[in-house]
Amino acid sequence: MATSTPVRVDEDIHAFATSVAPLMSRSTAQQISHWARIGRELEASPTVSLRAIEQVLECEVSYDDLNSYEQAVVRAEWAERSEQRRRDLNFAAQFAAEGRSYVELDDDGNIVRHQP
């Protein structure tokens, strides 16, 4: 039987693992361990260059220069970064701070006007 050791992880990783774990029939800890094993295998893979992936993510080289495995890793990272940016968006707070009005639709499709 495997033993476990307490480890600190970033709150966003824990939250995402908690949301994904039930879909994969895993506990949160099992999901994080699964991701760690995948990361370990990627780093050890002879077909994946982490430096090449980093260069694409830093806009130093073209995505098209990567092999299909590396492109898959880049797409996953782009998806995660995009999702994080969406989670961080709060236009209501931004508009309020800037003193701007805005409109949106409520759940019934009615226009709601927000004034500063």
Side-chain angles (χ1 to χ4, degrees):
M1 182 169 122
T3 60
S4 63
T5 303
V7 176
R8 293 184 189 271
V9 297
D10 292 339
E11 189 175 307
D12 63 322
I13 291 173
H14 185 271
F16 193 60
T18 300
S19 68
V20 170
L23 302 172
M24 302 297 177
S25 300
R26 298 182 181 116
S27 68
T28 300
Q30 289 170 329
Q31 186 64 43
I32 292 170
S33 292
H34 173 72
W35 287 338
R37 283 190 293 278
I38 291 171
R40 178 188 64 205
E41 294 304 315
L42 278 173
E43 287 182 346
S45 172
T47 59
V48 175
S49 165
L50 294 181
R51 181 63 193 134
I53 291 168
E54 290 170 359
Q55 288 175 318
V56 169
L57 294 173
E58 294 167 2
C59 301
E60 295 173 359
V61 298
S62 172
Y63 169 84
D64 294 330
D65 293 339
L66 301 179
N67 67 37
S68 60
Y69 299 109
E70 294 162 340
Q71 288 178 350
V73 173
V74 169
R75 286 193 307 274
E77 179 62 23
W78 283 340
E80 176 58 31
R81 288 181 184 187
S82 296
E83 182 57 34
Q84 183 61 48
R85 291 193 79 169
R86 280 192 292 277
R87 285 192 300 263
D88 292 344
L89 287 177
N90 185 343
F91 288 119
Q94 180 181 345
F95 291 159
E98 294 171 1
R100 295 173 55 188
S101 60
Y102 65 97
V103 297
E104 65 181 340
L105 296 178
D106 65 15
D107 292 338
D108 297 323
N110 300 310
I111 295 176
V112 178
R113 298 182 191 285
H114 298 273
Q115 301 295 329

